[in-house]
Amino acid sequence: MTDDPFVTHRSLLFTVAYELLGSAADAEDVLQESWLRWADVAHDEVRDARAYLVRIVTRQALNQLRTVSRRRESYVGEWLPEPLLTSPDVADDVELAESVSIAMLTVLETLGPTERAVFVLREVFDVPYDEIADAVDKSPAAVRQIAHRAKDHVAARRPRMDVMRSEHEEAVERLVAAMNTGDVQGLMDVLAPDVVSVADGGGKVRGAALRPIVGADRIARYLVGGLAKFPGVFVAMPAWVNGQPGIRVELDGQLAGVVSLSVEGGRITRIYSMANPDKLGWVQAEAELAR
């Protein structure tokens, strides 16, 4: 056991950084830098260690976010968040599960760095406005305005998430079965007519679409056609991805991709396929999340 607040709150700090950056690797870099800064602080003079650490991590994440934003401008194809393997327990905290879902993180990408930080700290972690103000170097009044604007922005774009777990799991199982058998009709039956598929191969995966594909018929034929071209043994299997039932894809026994889904009315409305090998490092072991 340790009484170091950084170790005690590490899962929370990782979750904050990950939600601000959409990348586990970048979140880990932020935690390393934050640890070094925390080590230089006189701990006995810190009144609220949790709030102090969240402030350090937020500031470091904002610095990192401005750097990676420039990097993403030259990214090949669609950019999607880095997926996490999570335990089913994460889904028990509905608000946490929604906040770390690939669908929500994709929406958060449409916010500016400060708006994203304010939204995440306020809506997900319920941080008081004055503490957020310290973290983002704004006045509490300005933070309230930013929070209101960001909340409206997200509300207009956020996916519908009030789906029963059993309904989501059933849709995943049907998609897995159809993918493993190349069943075009099975795919058509589980996909909503206006379903959208977004793939992130980072320019490193042959066959990964560079732009979103729209429509059940186009996506079903694209999937079946693509799977038929794989030279090895393809297997899809259910997995818990970012707090939701998702899919792990293997080729010849090796991890080849992760799929996250949005479900409505028992049918899949959105498919997020992450195959960039640089983004799959955090799908080997369950990430520890907290708020």
Side-chain angles (χ1 to χ4, degrees):
M1 294 292 289
T2 178
D3 56 1
D4 186 336
F6 192 98
V7 177
T8 301
H9 297 299
R10 194 183 193 287
S11 294
L12 162 72
L13 301 175
F14 174 81
T15 309
V16 170
Y18 176 71
E19 292 204 25
L20 292 182
L21 294 161
S23 164
D26 289 334
E28 277 296 326
D29 288 344
V30 162
L31 258 61
Q32 290 295 326
E33 184 63 32
S34 298
W35 165 261
L36 294 175
R37 291 176 182 270
W38 172 246
D40 288 337
V41 172
H43 297 175
D44 56 348
E45 295 179 8
V46 177
R47 188 173 68 255
D48 184 341
R50 181 182 185 276
Y52 191 92
L53 288 167
V54 168
R55 185 165 73 244
I56 292 176
V57 166
T58 299
R59 286 179 172 173
Q60 295 306 311
L62 281 171
N63 291 338
Q64 182 82 339
L65 193 57
R66 293 180 180 110
T67 300
V68 298
S69 293
R70 291 191 292 272
R71 195 166 71 213
R72 290 173 192 169
E73 289 175 3
S74 59
Y75 196 79
V76 178
E78 297 289 320
W79 188 95
L80 288 174
E82 189 176 340
L84 300 177
L85 184 68
T86 54
S87 74
D89 294 343
V90 172
D92 295 336
D93 184 338
V94 177
E95 290 185 1
L96 176 61
E98 178 182 2
S99 71
V100 298
S101 70
I102 296 297
M104 177 57 80
L105 291 173
T106 303
V107 172
L108 293 182
E109 282 294 312
T110 64
L111 292 171
T114 301
E115 286 182 314
R116 183 168 183 166
V118 169
F119 178 86
V120 167
L121 292 178
R122 184 62 190 167
E123 296 298 318
V124 181
F125 299 97
D126 199 28
V127 176
Y129 287 112
D130 57 338
E131 291 182 17
I132 299 175
D134 286 341
V136 300
D137 291 325
K138 301 283 185 183
S139 69
V143 165
R144 286 178 183 274
Q145 288 184 327
I146 293 169
H148 180 74
R149 189 167 63 243
K151 188 174 181 179
D152 286 348
H153 179 97
V154 172
R157 294 164 177 78
R158 77 191 310 158
R160 178 178 175 273
M161 300 293 284
D162 54 342
V163 177
M164 291 181 61
R165 184 189 296 189
S166 58
E167 181 183 335
H168 199 128
E169 288 179 322
E170 181 184 354
V172 167
E173 289 169 2
R174 291 170 64 193
L175 181 60
V176 164
M179 290 173 69
N180 283 332
T181 58
D183 180 2
V184 174
Q185 189 57 52
L187 287 169
M188 293 290 290
D189 291 342
V190 75
L191 299 177
D194 57 351
V195 59
V196 178
S197 174
V198 183
D200 178 348
K204 300 181 178 183
V205 179
R206 186 167 59 89
L210 297 178
R211 295 181 180 81
I213 302 173
V214 181
D217 183 68
R218 288 186 65 201
I219 290 172
R221 298 188 185 285
Y222 180 84
L223 279 174
V224 172
L227 296 178
K229 295 176 184 176
F230 277 125
V233 179
F234 171 91
V235 178
M237 62 195 76
W240 281 89
V241 180
N242 287 65
Q244 293 183 315
I247 299 173
R248 174 189 174 95
V249 175
E250 292 186 357
L251 188 61
D252 289 335
Q254 299 297 313
L255 176 65
V258 174
V259 180
S260 180
L261 310 165
S262 294
V263 177
E264 188 171 343
R267 303 180 87 176
I268 296 165
T269 57
R270 209 160 182 94
I271 303 171
Y272 302 95
S273 304
M274 292 142 294
N276 183 343
D278 296 339
K279 291 187 175 183
L280 299 178
W282 280 75
V283 194
Q284 307 293 353
E286 290 179 358
E288 294 185 13
L289 305 177
R291 69 184 182 109

